[in-house]
Amino acid sequence: MGEQGMESLPPLPRCLILDYYDSYTNNLLTLFTQLYSDEEVLRKVVVVKYDHYDWETFQRLILPNIDCIILSPGPGRPDKPSDIGFALDLIRQHPLPILGICLGHQAIGVAFGAKIINVPLIRHGHVVEVFPTDPSSDLFAPMPGHDVQASFAAVVYNSLVVDADSLPANLTVTAWTDPGSNLSTVMGLKHRDLPIWGVQYHPESISSTCGSSLLFRYIEAVHRIYNHPASYPRLETEILDSCAYRIATRQAKSAVSTQNSEIPRKLPSLPVEPRASSTHASTSRAASHQTSSARRAFSLVERSFEESGRHRSTADIFDSVIRCRASLKSGAMGEIWLDGESPTRATTTSLACPNFLLTYALASQTVTLRTPGKVLRSGLGTATTFWDWFDQAQQSLATPRSEIGGWKGGWVGWFSYEMKQESLQGYKADHRGDNGKSSLDGLDACWSWSDWLLERSSTGRWTLRAVIRAADAESLPIDAGVGKLLHQAGVSVGLLESQFDTLYSTISAALNDSMHKLESRDFEPFHIQPDTDGPAYRSSIEDCRESIRQGDSYELTLTTSFNAKLPPGLDPFHLYLQLRKSNPAYYSTYISFPSVVTPSGRGIYILSSSPERFLKIQVGESGRTIEMMPIKGTRKRLKKGVCACSLTSGCRRQSPGAKVCETERARIDEQIGQALQDDPKERAENLMIVDLIRSDLLSCCIPSTVTVPKLIALESYGVHNLVTTVRGCLGDAVSSVVAVKRCFPPGSMTGAPKLRSVQLLEQYEGNRQRGIYSGALGYISADGAVDLSVVIRTMVIQGNALSLGAGGAITWMSNADSEWAEVLTKVESVVGSLFSH
């Protein structure tokens, strides 16, 4: 805002946002931070789930202690009690100024007698032109110092709308879209006599304009109603405790260092999680003690091998050092190769042999520690979740933050898609007990620990990294959690300095072993078949579209699984080498846990060529940043060597492979990518997920730091994809595991709103377990750094059974045949010539 606008800014009132489990609600905080500081917003604005309080409690405890209310967007209908809760009573009694958005806007209409109908043109994630009836007054008036606009651009996410013909006399329309046409719909409402306003569009969307001015005028109206007080009280602690997410501790303020000088350096003191029990509080105190002890016990070291092994291939080094070196594999649980084979981005690669595995079964809520000699189990009970338990484990084994980037030792593994049951607020599932069904026979989460790793930089130089245990350090507490299991199994975490020196010498010799040569192998094609065939998948697409028409979702990521029986003796490692060659990707990964037994046999192997980042956390003395990179939209590429010339272009089909032929192929391939980026349907899909990702990050980040430096950009690997980058700075009390939990599962694999879409997809996918597919895979470093991919383009092998998940985002604009063709394109990009359907 300019100086004139800042002079006119009223003090911020206490505002409660009633959240209808929408995936965009948190984005409203960014509108507040365009006007006020982060500290002020976090002290005065609270997001509360609509079913957190009953109506009687809300009237008695909440209404006397807030100044205004925003009713959020959300799935469903405002004339359906289970979808809207007590909002209609709230609106009719109008005890405070109210602003309704989308669902909240429609609720205002229903509360006073209007009807809800289907919008003439269903649009989700589309930018429309909004025309205020009077752009110079009320909430549509520009902020001081800005010009009046006859119309402005805004994003809509709605299948339903208030019927203009049914409006009662006490409501008046304040804005339209497509005025004067048969597509005209109500975009704004207000009560003629009461301080109640509503807008159908989403002012908080990344592509909406005039959102901050709408909020400014609403706050100005609230201020006027209260006779312009000099300031407003802080929110009561009990109300802050009811907030869906907190990003700072109540006990102390924390300085936040960031490159954005406009971001406040101090955060308010707020609770970490709502309604913490005494059990949770005592556990938190124990975690604090464990972290303090661990920081005395562990440190990070690294040592370069200079030129050793620099000119050998990474695959050859992995084979000779990790797979074939008996002294290094002794006492190891498997093999890890965080590959990152990328044709367009500089990447590192990391190789390791993990010491032990932690696995988790949702059905029994049991954590299992697996070592080469022992298997120990521990039930969590109903008092906690694996997310909380694993957070304690991470903090127990944590090292001080380091300026060294990337994975430095620690955890590598995955959270399966089914872990949504313990991460999504509002999710209800009977997954405990004998009737529960667990994916991968108790591998709903699987995390291995490695004391050391061998890393190759983008320049080819090898470095040994390790977690070092001080010889005289205090031991880990063994009264509970991971410390107890490790003690029972006799497992020591971290290397002694003498062990590090010996390891360095052993690996140095292996790097210089020029006699070792990796043998290549060919494979016979094998058949792979989908769980859901084309006709059934197309039918489910129509079910998804009907849910979208009914207003229950904006977008649904419908998936299926492709399966095969592998020929006897097939080596998953050599199959992975073929995958990394045919479909290189930034998150290429090979994981081998050969001793783990599943229902399909012995051994589980992950062969991934995922191009999509789920979540990356970088840590350092200056703070912690988090980044997400959702992908939506896929097109098949024209591969090198393919003649795409016509009779009048390129080689004219006379000289396939010639330079002029390759130039024409590259030109057409570029056109395919550009057409993908320009496609309105694809852009809408992306925008829906981008807004969802922003809201996810606002659950754990300082609000004003959440930015979108790259929006719907084209990236081309084995296929063309559209990619967006969203970044933020983590709040001081949000640990790395908690940040992952609050953003899980990946929004690109659910659709939006996330909770309702997940529930619908379970129905349309026949309650089939997705398992690792659609989950998150990667590392959580000993110092809290994180880099996780979305598990797509990934083969999972158990025994001799191979599975490969694939799917696509379904919107109202989806064409069933095109969507199924996109699924097959994704599968073929992974299995290539082995593909048969």
Side-chain angles (χ1 to χ4, degrees):
M1 296 182 63
E3 292 184 4
Q4 183 178 0
M6 291 303 294
E7 291 172 0
S8 305
L9 186 65
L12 182 59
R14 297 167 296 178
C15 181
L16 184 140
I17 302 173
L18 210 56
D19 177 23
Y20 288 89
Y21 291 98
D22 193 71
S23 293
Y24 305 144
T25 300
N26 290 337
N27 293 333
L28 291 166
L29 296 175
T30 63
L31 299 183
F32 281 93
T33 58
Q34 290 172 21
L35 303 174
Y36 301 92
S37 70
D38 287 288
E39 180 175 4
E40 186 74 0
V41 171
L42 292 171
R43 288 189 186 280
K44 295 288 185 64
V45 182
V46 64
V47 179
V48 177
K49 300 298 184 184
Y50 82 99
D51 55 359
H52 186 85
Y53 295 104
D54 58 42
W55 178 226
E56 187 278 328
T57 305
F58 192 81
Q59 293 178 91
R60 178 169 47 86
L61 298 180
I62 308 304
L63 287 179
N65 296 297
I66 59 175
D67 304 305
C68 59
I69 294 174
I70 296 178
L71 302 178
S72 86
R77 300 179 60 97
D79 49 8
K80 187 177 179 181
S82 60
D83 289 341
I84 201 62
F86 57 72
L88 301 185
D89 291 327
L90 173 66
I91 295 167
R92 288 166 183 148
Q93 294 188 23
H94 53 269
L96 298 172
I98 296 172
L99 172 63
I101 298 172
C102 198
L103 179 69
H105 155 89
Q106 295 170 13
I108 293 170
V110 171
F112 294 108
K115 295 180 180 179
I116 300 299
I117 59 173
N118 273 107
V119 68
L121 178 61
I122 295 175
R123 292 180 285 201
H124 296 91
H126 290 261
V127 179
V128 301
E129 200 72 8
V130 176
F131 294 83
T133 56
D134 185 354
S136 63
S137 68
D138 210 51
L139 298 197
F140 294 111
M143 289 188 291
H146 293 256
D147 295 332
V148 173
Q149 293 182 247
S151 66
F152 59 89
V155 176
V156 290
Y157 293 107
N158 65 295
S159 300
L160 307 174
V161 69
V162 176
D163 180 11
D165 294 334
S166 68
L167 280 182
N170 55 5
L171 293 181
T172 184
V173 176
T174 58
W176 299 89
T177 190
D178 301 302
S181 75
N182 58 359
L183 299 178
S184 180
T185 55
V186 176
M187 283 288 115
L189 286 173
K190 74 172 183 178
H191 197 282
R192 294 185 183 274
D193 305 312
L194 303 172
I196 298 176
W197 300 265
V199 291
Q200 177 62 68
Y201 64 91
H202 282 242
E204 79 286 356
S205 172
I206 188 66
S207 292
S208 286
T209 61
C210 300
S212 57
S213 64
L214 178 84
L215 181 64
F216 172 84
R217 290 303 182 188
Y218 175 61
I219 292 174
E220 185 183 57
V222 172
H223 193 53
R224 188 166 55 249
I225 290 166
Y226 290 110
N227 296 317
H228 304 88
S231 64
Y232 293 87
R234 295 181 180 181
L235 282 166
E236 296 291 333
T237 300
E238 291 76 9
I239 298 178
L240 288 173
D241 283 348
S242 69
C243 189
Y245 299 108
R246 291 290 87 192
I247 66 168
T249 59
R250 179 187 298 141
Q251 288 75 15
K253 295 181 180 180
S254 172
V256 179
S257 176
T258 167
Q259 296 178 351
N260 187 344
S261 60
E262 296 180 356
I263 297 170
R265 312 242 343 144
K266 295 288 185 179
L267 284 177
S269 51
L270 299 172
V272 179
E273 294 284 357
R275 297 186 295 179
S277 65
S278 58
T279 301
H280 180 78
S282 63
T283 304
S284 298
R285 286 191 294 271
S288 176
H289 170 73
Q290 290 177 359
T291 301
S292 175
S293 174
R295 288 185 176 180
R296 289 193 295 274
F298 303 120
S299 61
L300 297 171
V301 298
E302 64 174 34
R303 188 182 301 173
S304 172
F305 291 96
E306 301 302 333
E307 298 302 308
S308 296
R310 189 165 185 170
H311 301 294
R312 294 174 63 187
S313 72
T314 305
D316 187 41
I317 296 296
F318 180 79
D319 190 54
S320 62
V321 176
I322 303 300
R323 280 169 51 87
C324 300
R325 188 70 50 164
S327 60
L328 295 177
K329 291 190 69 175
S330 176
M333 284 297 297
E335 304 157 0
I336 290 171
W337 183 0
L338 302 182
D339 189 3
E341 179 68 11
S342 170
T344 60
R345 284 190 261 174
T347 60
T348 59
T349 190
S350 299
L351 320 178
C353 296
N355 309 34
F356 61 85
L357 304 180
L358 290 175
T359 62
Y360 177 64
L362 273 165
S364 59
Q365 281 203 296
T366 300
V367 175
T368 301
L369 171 66
R370 303 171 190 268
T371 71
K374 291 186 179 180
V375 176
L376 300 176
R377 292 181 171 83
S378 177
L380 297 187
T382 59
T384 189
T385 68
F386 179 74
W387 293 99
D388 298 328
W389 191 95
F390 187 58
D391 185 30
Q392 303 291 335
Q394 162 62 15
Q395 294 186 53
S396 296
L397 304 180
T399 64
R401 293 182 186 177
S402 169
E403 294 293 346
I404 304 170
W407 185 39
K408 310 163 193 67
W411 305 100
V412 169
W414 65 82
F415 295 109
S416 80
Y417 176 73
E418 277 63 46
M419 287 300 294
K420 69 186 187 296
Q421 296 182 22
E422 293 187 350
S423 66
L424 275 177
Q425 285 196 358
Y427 186 95
K428 296 179 177 63
D430 183 19
H431 64 274
R432 300 179 175 90
D434 295 336
N435 63 337
K437 181 182 179 183
S438 181
S439 64
L440 290 178
D441 192 36
L443 300 185
D444 294 294
C446 181
W447 288 92
S448 65
W449 175 274
S450 297
D451 284 335
W452 62 269
L453 64 99
L454 184 62
E455 180 186 275
R456 186 173 207 162
S457 71
S458 58
T459 64
R461 177 168 292 184
W462 291 98
T463 298
L464 178 64
R465 291 181 169 181
V467 176
I468 297 298
R469 180 179 78 255
D472 59 349
E474 299 177 22
S475 61
L476 287 174
I478 60 173
D479 57 335
V482 70
K484 181 178 181 179
L485 284 174
L486 294 176
H487 176 74
Q488 291 175 345
V491 175
S492 296
V493 177
L495 301 177
L496 296 174
E497 290 187 6
S498 59
Q499 293 174 315
F500 178 78
D501 292 338
T502 301
L503 178 66
Y504 181 86
S505 298
T506 302
I507 293 178
S508 181
L511 290 175
N512 291 303
D513 181 8
S514 59
M515 300 298 293
H516 184 93
K517 297 295 181 183
L518 176 62
E519 298 180 0
S520 61
R521 299 182 187 178
D522 296 324
F523 298 96
E524 292 293 326
F526 53 85
H527 296 287
I528 185 166
Q529 298 290 342
D531 272 351
T532 306
D533 61 16
Y537 189 86
R538 294 184 188 95
S539 176
S540 294
I541 288 173
E542 295 309 315
D543 292 335
C544 290
R545 293 183 71 247
E546 177 59 20
S547 289
I548 293 169
R549 192 185 75 84
Q550 294 290 346
D552 286 321
S553 181
Y554 317 138
E555 177 180 37
L556 290 157
T557 302
L558 184 68
T559 74
T560 188
S561 177
F562 290 73
N563 306 288
K565 291 294 182 182
L566 298 180
L570 186 146
D571 187 342
F573 173 65
H574 287 275
L575 183 58
Y576 173 70
L577 293 180
Q578 178 170 305
L579 172 63
R580 78 189 293 264
K581 180 180 179 180
S582 63
N583 192 44
Y586 188 77
Y587 282 101
S588 297
T589 300
Y590 174 74
I591 294 178
S592 165
F593 295 147
S595 63
V596 175
V597 178
T598 79
S600 298
R602 177 174 288 274
I604 180 168
Y605 306 86
I606 313 299
L607 289 62
S608 181
S609 60
S610 173
E612 181 172 358
R613 170 172 294 158
F614 170 45
L615 183 153
K616 181 175 183 178
I617 298 174
Q618 294 177 289
V619 303
E621 296 302 325
S622 58
R624 297 177 299 153
T625 59
I626 183 169
E627 177 181 274
M628 299 178 77
M629 295 180 67
I631 289 179
K632 276 297 171 191
T634 303
R635 290 291 185 276
K636 192 172 183 179
R637 299 196 65 184
L638 286 177
K639 300 294 180 70
K640 289 183 179 180
V642 174
C643 179
C645 306
S646 69
L647 295 175
T648 59
S649 67
C651 73
R652 301 183 181 183
R653 300 182 183 173
Q654 299 300 311
S655 305
K659 183 176 180 180
V660 64
C661 178
E662 173 59 21
T663 299
E664 179 68 2
R665 180 209 63 80
R667 184 186 70 83
I668 296 175
D669 183 60
E670 183 178 355
Q671 285 183 342
I672 294 171
Q674 190 60 52
L676 172 65
Q677 192 172 28
D678 294 340
D679 189 314
K681 172 187 173 293
E682 302 292 352
R683 295 190 69 84
E685 285 184 18
N686 274 269
L687 188 55
M688 283 188 267
I689 298 305
V690 171
D691 280 338
L692 180 150
I693 294 300
R694 292 171 61 229
S695 186
D696 279 350
L697 287 188
L698 281 159
S699 74
C700 51
C701 287
I702 303 163
S704 68
T705 68
V706 177
T707 60
V708 183
K710 186 167 66 173
L711 179 64
I712 314 180
L714 178 67
E715 291 192 7
S716 301
Y717 300 99
V719 292
H720 292 296
N721 287 125
L722 298 179
V723 186
T724 293
T725 302
V726 188
R727 293 184 185 137
C729 297
L730 284 177
D732 70 304
V734 182
S735 70
S736 295
V737 174
V738 168
V740 176
K741 172 187 176 182
R742 292 184 182 182
C743 297
F744 191 87
S748 61
M749 301 308 296
T750 63
K754 188 182 283 189
L755 176 61
R756 183 69 66 91
S757 295
V758 160
Q759 294 166 331
L760 290 169
L761 287 166
E762 289 175 348
Q763 174 185 344
Y764 298 144
E765 294 179 3
N767 292 309
R768 173 180 52 83
Q769 300 281 312
R770 291 189 185 180
I772 298 174
Y773 172 62
S774 299
L777 168 74
Y779 69 74
I780 300 177
S781 188
D783 69 343
V786 176
D787 203 356
L788 302 174
S789 67
V790 177
V791 185
I792 56 176
R793 322 286 201 272
T794 298
M795 289 185 276
V796 179
I797 298 175
Q798 304 172 67
N800 71 334
L802 179 148
S803 65
L804 169 65
I810 309 303
T811 70
W812 177 250
M813 298 176 66
S814 289
N815 174 273
D817 290 337
S818 298
E819 294 291 348
W820 179 243
E822 182 176 327
V823 169
L824 298 183
T825 295
K826 292 171 180 176
V827 172
E828 190 171 4
S829 73
V830 179
V831 297
S833 60
L834 304 179
F835 177 58
S836 176
H837 65 91

